Amino acid sequence: MTSTKPQGHRPAKTSRIELRASEDDRNLLDRAAAALGTDRSSFLLAQGRLAAQRVLADREQFVLDTDAQQEWERINNRPARSLPGLTRLLKRTSPFGHPTADLPQA
C-alpha cells in the first residue's frame, strides 16, 4: 500500500499547550533544543511524546524481540496446570459472608 501524503507530512497542529517554567528551566530547554537543532516547541513536543509513550507502554502494549516472543508463545501454549489448592480455595465459603446477609430486612 502506498501513501498519498507527501514524505515527511505531519498532521496539522490545531491544539495549543501552554505551561509556565522558571527562567532556568526555560534556558535549559532552549539549550537542549538548540543542541538537537530544533526549536523549543518541537523539542518539548517530541520529548513529551516519548515520555508519555514510556509511561503508557506497559499499560497499552509491550514489544518483544524474536527470542522473547517465541518464549512467550511457548509459555502461553502450554496446557493449563491443575492447581488443587486454588480449586479448594474457590470452593470454600467466603469468610466475608453473603453480601445480602447483612442488609436489613424490609
Side-chain angles (χ1 to χ4, degrees):
M1 173 183 267
T2 59
S3 175
T4 58
K5 295 179 184 175
Q7 198 170 26
H9 172 77
R10 292 184 177 219
K13 294 177 182 175
T14 59
S15 229
R16 184 172 187 86
I17 300 172
E18 297 182 34
L19 60 99
R20 295 215 173 268
S22 70
E23 198 66 32
D24 287 343
D25 285 340
R26 181 180 175 153
N27 290 336
L28 177 65
L29 294 168
D30 286 344
R31 288 184 12 238
L36 293 179
T38 189
D39 61 274
R40 182 186 326 121
S41 291
S42 296
F43 175 80
L44 286 171
L45 188 57
Q47 296 304 312
R49 185 183 303 110
L50 287 173
Q53 288 169 341
R54 280 193 300 270
V55 166
L56 298 174
D58 66 341
R59 293 170 176 90
E60 296 178 350
Q61 62 180 316
F62 59 96
V63 179
L64 303 173
D65 62 29
T66 302
D67 291 339
Q69 184 176 359
Q70 288 173 352
E71 179 66 8
W72 175 261
E73 292 300 325
R74 185 189 68 74
I75 290 169
N76 283 310
N77 288 328
R78 292 186 307 203
R81 294 183 302 161
S82 173
L83 301 170
L86 180 60
T87 301
R88 283 192 307 276
L89 177 66
L90 293 174
K91 287 182 179 178
R92 264 187 9 195
T93 302
S94 170
F96 302 106
H98 193 273
T100 58
D102 296 330
L103 295 177
Q105 298 298 319

